[in-house]
Coordinates of all heavy atoms in Angstrom, one line a residue:
M1 N 22.1 59.9 103.8 CA 21.0 60.6 103.1 C 19.9 60.8 104.1 O 19.5 59.9 104.8 CB 20.6 59.8 101.9 CG 19.7 60.6 101.0 SD 19.7 59.9 99.3 CE 18.2 58.9 99.4
K2 N 19.3 62.0 104.1 CA 18.2 62.3 105.0 C 16.9 61.6 104.5 O 16.6 61.4 103.3 CB 17.9 63.8 105.0 CG 18.9 64.7 105.6 CD 18.5 66.1 105.6 CE 19.5 67.0 106.2 NZ 19.1 68.4 106.2
Q3 N 16.1 61.1 105.5 CA 14.9 60.5 105.2 C 13.8 61.5 105.0 O 13.8 62.6 105.5 CB 14.5 59.6 106.4 CG 15.4 58.5 106.7 CD 15.5 57.5 105.5 OE1 14.4 57.2 105.0 NE2 16.7 57.0 105.2
D4 N 12.8 61.1 104.2 CA 11.6 61.9 103.9 C 11.9 63.3 103.2 O 11.2 64.3 103.4 CB 10.8 62.2 105.2 CG 10.3 60.9 105.8 OD1 10.0 60.0 105.0 OD2 10.3 60.8 107.0
T5 N 13.0 63.4 102.4 CA 13.3 64.6 101.7 C 12.8 64.6 100.3 O 12.6 65.6 99.6 CB 14.8 64.9 101.7 OG1 15.5 63.8 101.1 CG2 15.3 65.1 103.0
H6 N 12.5 63.4 99.7 CA 12.1 63.2 98.4 C 10.5 63.1 98.3 O 10.0 62.4 99.2 CB 12.7 62.0 97.7 CG 14.2 62.2 97.6 ND1 14.8 63.0 96.7 CD2 15.2 61.6 98.3 CE1 16.1 62.9 96.8 NE2 16.4 62.1 97.8
P7 N 9.9 63.7 97.3 CA 8.4 63.5 97.2 C 8.1 62.1 96.8 O 8.9 61.4 96.2 CB 8.0 64.5 96.1 CG 9.3 64.7 95.3 CD 10.4 64.5 96.3
D8 N 6.8 61.7 97.0 CA 6.3 60.4 96.7 C 6.2 60.3 95.1 O 5.6 61.1 94.5 CB 4.9 60.2 97.3 CG 4.3 58.9 96.9 OD1 5.1 57.9 96.8 OD2 3.1 58.8 96.8
Y9 N 6.9 59.3 94.6 CA 6.9 59.1 93.1 C 6.1 57.9 92.8 O 6.4 56.8 93.3 CB 8.4 58.9 92.7 CG 8.7 59.0 91.3 CD1 8.5 60.1 90.6 CD2 9.4 57.9 90.6 CE1 8.8 60.3 89.3 CE2 9.7 58.0 89.3 CZ 9.4 59.2 88.6 OH 9.7 59.3 87.3
H10 N 5.0 58.0 92.1 CA 4.0 57.0 91.9 C 3.4 57.0 90.5 O 3.7 57.9 89.7 CB 2.9 57.1 92.9 CG 2.4 58.5 92.9 ND1 2.9 59.5 93.8 CD2 1.4 59.2 92.2 CE1 2.2 60.7 93.5 NE2 1.4 60.4 92.6
F11 N 2.6 56.0 90.2 CA 2.0 55.9 88.8 C 0.7 56.7 88.8 O -0.1 56.7 89.7 CB 1.6 54.5 88.5 CG 2.8 53.7 88.0 CD1 3.5 52.8 88.9 CD2 3.3 53.8 86.7 CE1 4.6 52.1 88.4 CE2 4.4 53.1 86.3 CZ 5.0 52.2 87.1
I12 N 0.5 57.5 87.7 CA -0.7 58.2 87.4 C -1.1 57.9 85.9 O -0.3 57.4 85.2 CB -0.6 59.7 87.6 CG1 0.4 60.3 86.6 CG2 -0.2 60.1 89.0 CD1 0.3 61.9 86.5
T13 N -2.3 58.2 85.6 CA -2.8 58.1 84.2 C -2.9 59.5 83.6 O -3.5 60.4 84.2 CB -4.2 57.4 84.2 OG1 -4.0 56.1 84.8 CG2 -4.7 57.2 82.8
V14 N -2.4 59.7 82.4 CA -2.5 60.9 81.7 C -3.5 60.8 80.6 O -3.4 59.8 79.7 CB -1.1 61.4 81.1 CG1 -1.3 62.7 80.4 CG2 -0.1 61.5 82.3
Q15 N -4.5 61.6 80.5 CA -5.5 61.6 79.4 C -5.3 62.7 78.5 O -5.3 63.9 78.8 CB -6.9 61.7 80.0 CG -8.0 61.6 79.0 CD -9.4 61.6 79.6 OE1 -9.5 61.8 80.8 NE2 -10.4 61.5 78.8
M16 N -5.0 62.4 77.2 CA -4.8 63.4 76.2 C -6.1 64.0 75.7 O -7.2 63.5 76.1 CB -4.2 62.7 74.9 CG -2.9 61.9 75.3 SD -1.5 63.0 75.7 CE -0.7 63.1 74.2
T17 N -6.1 65.1 74.9 CA -7.3 65.8 74.5 C -8.2 64.9 73.6 O -9.4 65.1 73.6 CB -7.0 67.1 73.8 OG1 -6.1 66.8 72.7 CG2 -6.3 68.1 74.7
D18 N -7.6 63.9 72.9 CA -8.5 63.1 72.1 C -9.0 61.9 72.8 O -9.7 61.0 72.2 CB -7.7 62.6 70.8 CG -6.5 61.7 71.2 OD1 -6.2 61.6 72.4 OD2 -5.9 61.2 70.2
G19 N -8.7 61.8 74.1 CA -9.3 60.7 74.9 C -8.4 59.5 75.2 O -8.7 58.7 76.0
T20 N -7.2 59.4 74.4 CA -6.3 58.4 74.7 C -5.6 58.6 76.0 O -5.5 59.7 76.5 CB -5.2 58.3 73.6 OG1 -4.5 59.5 73.5 CG2 -5.9 58.0 72.2
T21 N -5.2 57.5 76.6 CA -4.6 57.5 78.0 C -3.3 56.7 78.0 O -3.1 55.8 77.1 CB -5.5 57.0 79.1 OG1 -5.8 55.6 78.8 CG2 -6.8 57.8 79.2
F22 N -2.4 57.1 78.9 CA -1.2 56.3 79.1 C -0.8 56.5 80.6 O -1.2 57.4 81.2 CB -0.1 56.7 78.2 CG 0.5 58.1 78.3 CD1 1.5 58.4 79.2 CD2 -0.1 59.2 77.7 CE1 2.0 59.6 79.4 CE2 0.4 60.5 77.8 CZ 1.4 60.7 78.7
Q23 N 0.0 55.5 81.0 CA 0.4 55.6 82.4 C 1.9 56.1 82.5 O 2.7 55.7 81.6 CB 0.3 54.2 83.1 CG -1.1 53.9 83.5 CD -1.2 53.1 84.7 OE1 -0.3 52.3 85.0 NE2 -2.2 53.2 85.5
T24 N 2.2 56.9 83.5 CA 3.6 57.3 83.7 C 3.8 57.5 85.2 O 2.8 57.5 86.0 CB 3.8 58.6 82.9 OG1 5.2 59.0 83.0 CG2 3.0 59.8 83.5
R25 N 5.0 57.7 85.6 CA 5.3 58.0 87.0 C 5.5 59.4 87.2 O 6.0 60.1 86.3 CB 6.6 57.2 87.4 CG 6.3 55.7 87.4 CD 7.6 55.0 87.7 NE 8.2 55.4 89.0 CZ 8.2 54.8 90.1 NH1 7.6 53.6 90.2 NH2 8.8 55.2 91.2
S26 N 5.0 60.0 88.3 CA 5.0 61.4 88.6 C 4.9 61.7 90.1 O 4.6 60.8 90.8 CB 3.8 62.0 87.9 OG 3.7 63.4 88.2
T27 N 5.2 62.9 90.4 CA 5.0 63.3 91.8 C 3.7 64.1 91.9 O 3.3 64.5 93.0 CB 6.2 64.3 92.2 OG1 6.2 65.4 91.4 CG2 7.5 63.5 92.2
W28 N 3.0 64.3 90.8 CA 1.7 65.0 90.8 C 0.6 64.1 91.4 O 0.5 62.9 91.1 CB 1.3 65.4 89.4 CG 0.0 66.1 89.2 CD1 -0.2 67.4 89.4 CD2 -1.2 65.5 88.9 NE1 -1.5 67.7 89.2 CE2 -2.2 66.5 88.9 CE3 -1.7 64.2 88.7 CZ2 -3.5 66.3 88.7 CZ3 -3.0 64.0 88.5 CH2 -3.9 65.0 88.4
G29 N -0.3 64.7 92.2 CA -1.4 63.9 92.7 C -1.1 62.8 93.6 O -0.1 62.8 94.2
K30 N -2.0 61.8 93.5 CA -1.8 60.6 94.3 C -1.8 59.4 93.4 O -2.2 59.5 92.3 CB -3.0 60.4 95.3 CG -3.0 61.5 96.4 CD -4.2 61.3 97.3 CE -5.0 62.6 97.2 NZ -6.4 62.5 97.4
E31 N -1.4 58.2 94.0 CA -1.4 57.0 93.2 C -2.7 56.7 92.5 O -3.8 56.8 93.2 CB -1.0 55.8 94.1 CG -1.0 54.5 93.5 CD 0.3 54.2 92.7 OE1 1.3 54.8 93.1 OE2 0.2 53.4 91.7
G32 N -2.7 56.5 91.2 CA -4.0 56.2 90.5 C -4.8 57.4 90.0 O -5.8 57.2 89.3
D33 N -4.4 58.6 90.3 CA -5.1 59.8 89.8 C -5.0 59.9 88.3 O -4.0 59.4 87.7 CB -4.5 61.1 90.5 CG -5.0 61.3 91.9 OD1 -5.9 60.5 92.3 OD2 -4.5 62.2 92.5
T34 N -5.9 60.6 87.7 CA -5.9 60.9 86.3 C -5.7 62.4 86.0 O -6.4 63.2 86.5 CB -7.2 60.4 85.6 OG1 -7.4 59.0 85.8 CG2 -7.2 60.7 84.1
M35 N -4.7 62.7 85.2 CA -4.4 64.1 84.8 C -5.0 64.3 83.4 O -4.5 63.6 82.4 CB -2.9 64.3 84.8 CG -2.5 65.7 84.3 SD -0.7 65.9 84.0 CE -0.2 66.0 85.7
A36 N -6.0 65.1 83.3 CA -6.6 65.4 82.0 C -5.9 66.7 81.4 O -5.9 67.7 82.0 CB -8.1 65.7 82.2
L37 N -5.3 66.5 80.2 CA -4.6 67.6 79.6 C -5.5 68.5 78.8 O -6.4 68.0 78.1 CB -3.5 67.1 78.7 CG -2.4 66.2 79.3 CD1 -1.4 65.8 78.3 CD2 -1.7 67.0 80.4
E38 N -5.3 69.8 78.9 CA -6.1 70.7 78.0 C -5.4 71.0 76.7 O -6.0 71.2 75.7 CB -6.3 72.0 78.8 CG -7.2 71.9 80.0 CD -7.3 73.2 80.8 OE1 -6.8 74.2 80.3 OE2 -7.8 73.1 81.9
I39 N -4.1 71.0 76.8 CA -3.2 71.2 75.6 C -2.2 70.1 75.5 O -1.6 69.8 76.5 CB -2.5 72.5 75.6 CG1 -3.5 73.7 75.7 CG2 -1.6 72.7 74.5 CD1 -2.9 75.0 75.9
D40 N -2.0 69.4 74.4 CA -1.0 68.4 74.2 C -0.4 68.4 72.9 O -0.9 69.2 72.0 CB -1.6 67.0 74.6 CG -2.7 66.6 73.6 OD1 -2.8 67.2 72.5 OD2 -3.4 65.6 73.9
P41 N 0.6 67.7 72.6 CA 1.3 67.7 71.3 C 0.5 67.3 70.1 O 0.8 67.6 69.0 CB 2.5 66.7 71.5 CG 2.7 66.7 73.0 CD 1.4 66.9 73.6
K42 N -0.6 66.6 70.4 CA -1.5 66.2 69.3 C -2.4 67.3 68.8 O -2.9 67.3 67.7 CB -2.4 65.0 69.7 CG -1.6 63.7 69.9 CD -2.5 62.6 70.3 CE -1.7 61.3 70.6 NZ -2.6 60.2 71.0
S43 N -2.6 68.3 69.6 CA -3.6 69.4 69.3 C -3.0 70.8 69.3 O -3.6 71.7 68.7 CB -4.8 69.3 70.2 OG -4.3 69.7 71.5
H44 N -1.8 71.0 69.8 CA -1.3 72.3 69.9 C -0.6 72.7 68.6 O 0.1 72.0 68.0 CB -0.3 72.4 71.0 CG 0.1 73.8 71.4 ND1 1.0 74.5 70.7 CD2 -0.4 74.6 72.4 CE1 1.1 75.7 71.3 NE2 0.3 75.8 72.3
P45 N -0.9 74.0 68.1 CA -0.4 74.4 66.8 C 1.2 74.4 66.7 O 1.8 74.3 65.7 CB -0.9 75.8 66.6 CG -1.7 76.1 67.8 CD -1.8 74.9 68.7
A46 N 1.8 74.6 67.9 CA 3.3 74.6 67.9 C 3.9 73.3 67.4 O 4.9 73.2 66.8 CB 3.8 75.0 69.3
W47 N 3.2 72.2 67.7 CA 3.7 70.9 67.3 C 3.0 70.4 66.0 O 3.5 69.5 65.3 CB 3.4 69.8 68.4 CG 4.3 70.1 69.6 CD1 5.6 69.8 69.6 CD2 3.9 70.6 70.8 NE1 6.1 70.2 70.9 CE2 5.1 70.7 71.6 CE3 2.8 71.1 71.4 CZ2 5.1 71.1 72.9 CZ3 2.8 71.6 72.6 CH2 3.9 71.6 73.4
T48 N 1.8 70.8 65.7 CA 1.1 70.3 64.5 C 1.3 71.2 63.3 O 0.9 70.8 62.2 CB -0.5 70.3 64.8 OG1 -0.9 71.6 65.1 CG2 -0.8 69.3 66.0
G49 N 1.9 72.3 63.4 CA 2.1 73.2 62.2 C 1.0 74.0 61.9 O 0.9 74.6 60.8
G50 N 0.0 74.1 62.7 CA -1.2 74.9 62.4 C -1.0 76.4 62.6 O 0.1 76.8 63.0
T51 N -2.0 77.2 62.3 CA -1.8 78.6 62.5 C -2.0 79.0 64.0 O -2.7 78.3 64.7 CB -2.9 79.4 61.7 OG1 -4.2 79.0 62.1 CG2 -2.7 79.1 60.2
R52 N -1.3 80.0 64.3 CA -1.4 80.5 65.7 C -2.1 81.9 65.7 O -1.9 82.6 64.8 CB 0.0 80.6 66.3 CG 0.6 79.3 66.5 CD 1.9 79.4 67.2 NE 2.9 79.1 66.2 CZ 4.2 79.3 66.4 NH1 4.7 79.8 67.5 NH2 5.1 78.9 65.5
N53 N -2.8 82.2 66.8 CA -3.4 83.5 66.9 C -2.5 84.4 67.7 O -2.9 84.9 68.8 CB -4.8 83.3 67.7 CG -5.7 82.5 66.9 OD1 -5.7 82.5 65.6 ND2 -6.6 81.8 67.5
I54 N -1.4 84.8 67.1 CA -0.5 85.7 67.7 C -0.2 86.8 66.7 O -0.4 86.6 65.5 CB 0.8 85.1 68.2 CG1 1.6 84.4 67.0 CG2 0.5 84.1 69.3 CD1 3.0 84.0 67.4
D55 N 0.3 87.9 67.1 CA 0.6 89.0 66.3 C 1.9 88.7 65.5 O 3.0 88.5 66.1 CB 0.8 90.3 67.1 CG 1.2 91.5 66.3 OD1 0.9 91.5 65.1 OD2 1.8 92.5 66.8
Q56 N 1.8 88.6 64.2 CA 3.0 88.2 63.4 C 3.9 89.4 63.1 O 5.0 89.3 62.7 CB 2.6 87.6 62.1 CG 1.8 86.3 62.3 CD 2.7 85.2 62.9 OE1 3.9 85.1 62.6 NE2 2.1 84.3 63.6
G57 N 3.4 90.6 63.2 CA 4.2 91.8 62.9 C 5.0 92.3 64.1 O 4.6 92.2 65.2
G58 N 6.2 92.8 63.8 CA 7.1 93.2 64.8 C 7.0 94.7 65.0 O 6.1 95.4 64.5
Q59 N 8.1 95.3 65.5 CA 8.1 96.8 65.8 C 8.1 97.5 64.4 O 7.5 98.5 64.3 CB 9.4 97.1 66.6 CG 9.4 96.5 67.9 CD 9.1 97.6 69.0 OE1 9.2 98.8 68.7 NE2 8.8 97.1 70.2
V60 N 8.9 97.0 63.5 CA 9.0 97.7 62.2 C 7.7 97.7 61.4 O 7.2 98.7 60.8 CB 10.1 97.1 61.3 CG1 10.2 97.7 59.9 CG2 11.5 97.3 62.0
A61 N 7.0 96.5 61.5 CA 5.7 96.4 60.8 C 4.7 97.3 61.4 O 3.9 98.0 60.7 CB 5.2 95.0 60.9
R62 N 4.7 97.5 62.8 CA 3.8 98.4 63.4 C 4.1 99.8 63.0 O 3.2 100.6 62.8 CB 3.8 98.2 64.9 CG 3.0 97.0 65.4 CD 2.7 97.1 66.9 NE 3.9 97.5 67.7 CZ 4.5 96.8 68.6 NH1 4.0 95.6 68.9 NH2 5.5 97.2 69.3
F63 N 5.4 100.2 63.0 CA 5.8 101.5 62.6 C 5.3 101.8 61.2 O 4.7 102.9 60.9 CB 7.3 101.7 62.7 CG 7.8 103.0 62.3 CD1 7.8 104.1 63.2 CD2 8.2 103.3 61.0 CE1 8.2 105.3 62.8 CE2 8.7 104.5 60.6 CZ 8.7 105.6 61.5
N64 N 5.6 100.9 60.2 CA 5.1 101.1 58.9 C 3.6 101.2 58.7 O 3.1 102.0 57.9 CB 5.7 100.0 58.0 CG 7.2 100.2 57.7 OD1 7.7 101.3 57.9 ND2 7.8 99.1 57.5
K65 N 2.9 100.5 59.5 CA 1.5 100.5 59.5 C 0.9 101.9 60.0 O 0.0 102.5 59.4 CB 0.9 99.4 60.4 CG -0.6 99.4 60.4 CD -1.1 98.2 61.3 CE -2.6 98.2 61.3 NZ -3.1 97.1 62.2
R66 N 1.6 102.5 61.0 CA 1.2 103.8 61.5 C 1.6 104.9 60.7 O 0.9 105.9 60.5 CB 1.7 103.9 62.9 CG 1.0 103.0 63.9 CD 1.6 103.1 65.3 NE 1.2 104.3 65.9 CZ 1.6 104.7 67.1 NH1 2.5 104.0 67.8 NH2 1.3 105.9 67.6
F67 N 2.9 104.9 60.2 CA 3.5 106.0 59.6 C 3.9 105.8 58.1 O 4.7 106.5 57.5 CB 4.7 106.5 60.4 CG 4.4 106.8 61.8 CD1 4.8 106.0 62.8 CD2 3.6 107.9 62.1 CE1 4.5 106.2 64.1 CE2 3.3 108.2 63.4 CZ 3.8 107.4 64.5
G68 N 3.5 104.7 57.5 CA 3.9 104.3 56.1 C 3.4 105.3 55.1 O 4.0 105.5 54.0
G69 N 2.3 106.0 55.3 CA 1.8 107.0 54.4 C 2.5 108.3 54.4 O 2.2 109.2 53.5
L70 N 3.3 108.6 55.3 CA 4.0 109.9 55.4 C 5.1 110.0 54.4 O 5.9 109.1 54.2 CB 4.5 110.1 56.8 CG 3.5 110.2 58.0 CD1 4.2 110.4 59.3 CD2 2.5 111.3 57.8
T71 N 5.2 111.1 53.8 CA 6.3 111.4 52.9 C 6.9 112.7 53.2 O 6.3 113.6 53.8 CB 5.8 111.4 51.4 OG1 4.8 112.4 51.3 CG2 5.3 110.0 51.0
L72 N 8.2 112.9 52.8 CA 8.9 114.2 53.0 C 8.7 115.0 51.7 O 9.1 114.5 50.6 CB 10.3 114.0 53.4 CG 10.6 113.3 54.7 CD1 12.1 113.0 54.8 CD2 10.1 114.2 55.8
K73 N 8.2 116.2 51.8 CA 8.1 117.0 50.6 C 9.3 117.9 50.4 O 9.8 118.5 51.4 CB 6.8 117.9 50.7 CG 5.6 117.0 50.7 CD 4.4 117.9 50.7 CE 3.2 117.0 50.8 NZ 1.9 117.7 50.8
K74 N 9.8 118.0 49.2 CA 11.0 118.8 48.9 C 10.6 120.1 48.3 O 9.7 120.3 47.6 CB 12.0 118.0 48.0 CG 12.6 116.9 48.7 CD 13.6 116.2 47.9 CE 14.2 115.0 48.6 NZ 15.2 114.4 47.8

């Protein structure tokens, strides 16, 4: 096996958005660094079931919104 092909794997501290911390091993940063998360499973709506600020309508909903009032006269 070749020498010096793998990155340095060391302990870092991860700080969640609510201030709690835990230690894990990572290749990010240097030994003892702290990674402060901006989004984590405790606060992100995808994991908490909260509302998301995304467009819920698809192509059909947009079409009906634009052209829903049109009718064909016989």
